[in-house]
Amino acid sequence: MYFFRSLSILLLLILYISSDFLCMAQQPHDVPADGYGMVKTNMKVSYDYTNAPVSDHFNARVSYEFLRKQNFTLTANTNYNSLHTDFSVDAFPSGYDPQLIGMNKTHIYGQLGMSGSFRSKLFGRQFMAFGMVSTDWGDGRFQRVSGIAMGLIMLRANRNTQFGIGPLVLLNSTSKVPAFLVFIYRHRFNNVLAVNLYGGMFGLDYTPTDSDLITVGGDIDVRSFYFSPGHSDLPKRCRYTNTNFRPGVKYKRRLAANFYGEVQCGIVLKMSSRVTGVSGTKRYFELPMPTRPFFQIALSYAL
């Protein structure tokens, strides 16, 4: 579903906005500054494994802020993914074989895009608008264009507490345009303990030193790839999307100046696992996905 796929990008945007307002509120800087648009240059590679039909996910992303004015920024983004799948025939409806329709293999897919942010005042309060346009590539060809437009007004922004709310619109080249409200909430209890709520997610941050951050909470993880099934009951081009909620523990450490390491582990809980058309508006069938543990490592450079 396009909503859940875009939600993973949304979380990055909200983290960016939250971090930006923390700086405006003279909040101490937490360990890593990674994610699209948070710094001038960001590079991150990650690998995670789970014992399931969708496993061995490698991701590499780069963002570069090529324009910065007092209240406006533009950032170029690229994202590369490699994902291995090994579905059982028994998991599919009668008449479908994952090997024959091209689902069981290592899939390469990615995005190229651009994001922009704008800061101002609205009704005497801090306001930020954010937009992203992305082109999807997979199965050896261009697939589609999608985008996000978001506004956020900070109802409270001081040293210890930040709370903001605003509209978000998901734009897709071929599907409907859903819109809804999103919010962020962050409260720092003291110099080492803080709570974050963003887009419905929860995280409790413990910062024992300037170089270490431990987070207990959960995130939404979305994996998707494109394939050409060659099946009479399916479109010429399809997309598989696996959306999961992942409660667990994450540990981040500053390894050197501008260089960070991250380890995360927890449990994967299925939210959806479906085959749709490229636009995601029509679902053809849902696939089972077991609850299982996962492990992820990442390295990033942010300047």
Side-chain angles (χ1 to χ4, degrees):
M1 184 181 292
Y2 181 60
F3 167 78
F4 288 118
R5 183 179 179 277
S6 301
L7 191 53
S8 60
I9 302 176
L10 165 63
L11 297 184
L12 287 174
L13 304 188
I14 294 179
L15 286 173
Y16 159 59
I17 294 170
S18 177
S19 174
D20 195 61
F21 280 118
L22 291 181
C23 294
M24 295 173 68
Q26 298 181 344
Q27 190 72 13
H29 184 64
D30 284 336
V31 180
D34 54 7
Y36 289 129
M38 290 181 66
V39 291
K40 185 175 181 62
T41 302
N42 184 79
M43 295 179 286
K44 185 173 184 177
V45 295
S46 65
Y47 168 79
D48 67 80
Y49 175 78
T50 180
N51 184 21
V54 180
S55 63
D56 293 303
H57 179 221
F58 173 80
N59 170 259
R61 73 173 189 259
V62 178
S63 67
Y64 177 72
E65 185 185 78
F66 60 91
L67 177 65
R68 174 177 284 271
K69 300 296 184 180
Q70 183 177 359
N71 295 320
F72 181 73
T73 66
L74 280 177
T75 301
N77 311 308
T78 182
N79 188 3
Y80 168 90
N81 295 272
S82 170
L83 180 65
H84 182 71
T85 56
D86 186 17
F87 290 97
S88 168
V89 177
D90 297 336
F92 281 70
S94 177
Y96 296 102
D97 186 312
Q99 196 71 37
L100 296 179
I101 65 176
M103 287 191 67
N104 279 359
K105 63 179 183 179
T106 298
H107 299 270
I108 307 298
Y109 60 99
Q111 294 85 33
L112 293 171
M114 184 178 299
S115 59
S117 68
F118 174 74
R119 302 175 185 84
S120 185
K121 290 278 189 176
L122 184 65
F123 306 120
R125 299 183 182 276
Q126 297 169 356
F127 172 80
M128 174 174 281
F130 202 105
M132 174 180 282
V133 176
S134 178
T135 59
D136 285 12
W137 297 80
D139 195 31
R141 57 165 294 164
F142 163 78
Q143 296 290 344
R144 67 171 189 168
V145 176
S146 59
I148 292 175
M150 176 181 178
L152 191 76
I153 185 168
M154 298 303 294
L155 301 179
R156 186 170 184 179
N158 56 41
R159 178 177 177 83
N160 292 321
T161 304
Q162 298 82 41
F163 174 71
I165 190 169
L168 181 130
V169 179
L170 304 178
L171 308 172
N172 180 257
S173 59
T174 56
S175 68
K176 297 179 181 179
V177 182
F180 48 93
L181 287 176
V182 295
F183 70 92
I184 67 166
Y185 173 75
R186 177 181 172 89
H187 177 73
R188 180 173 292 274
F189 299 102
N190 50 48
N191 290 333
V192 297
L193 194 64
V195 63
N196 289 287
L197 291 169
Y198 46 91
M201 296 295 93
F202 168 80
L204 184 64
D205 293 344
Y206 174 61
T207 313
T209 73
D210 291 341
S211 297
D212 298 278
L213 172 64
I214 300 171
T215 300
V216 178
D219 61 22
I220 288 181
D221 177 71
V222 183
R223 318 284 174 87
S224 64
F225 59 80
Y226 298 92
F227 64 101
S228 302
H231 194 287
S232 59
D233 294 336
L234 296 173
K236 292 182 179 179
R237 294 182 290 137
C238 288
R239 185 178 60 157
Y240 168 73
T241 305
N242 179 213
T243 306
N244 302 295
F245 177 63
R246 305 191 305 177
V249 179
K250 181 187 297 184
Y251 171 64
K252 297 181 181 181
R253 179 172 177 79
R254 181 182 289 109
L255 304 174
N258 307 315
F259 187 60
Y260 308 90
E262 178 182 312
V263 178
Q264 184 178 0
C265 62
I267 302 295
V268 178
L269 304 174
K270 172 192 167 183
M271 296 176 66
S272 68
S273 174
R274 59 187 58 182
V275 170
T276 67
V278 170
S279 67
T281 55
K282 182 176 181 179
R283 182 179 65 183
Y284 290 91
F285 54 85
E286 182 90 10
L287 295 173
M289 192 63 59
T291 299
R292 68 276 185 195
F294 78 94
F295 176 78
Q296 178 175 304
I297 58 174
L299 294 172
S300 64
Y301 172 82
L303 178 64

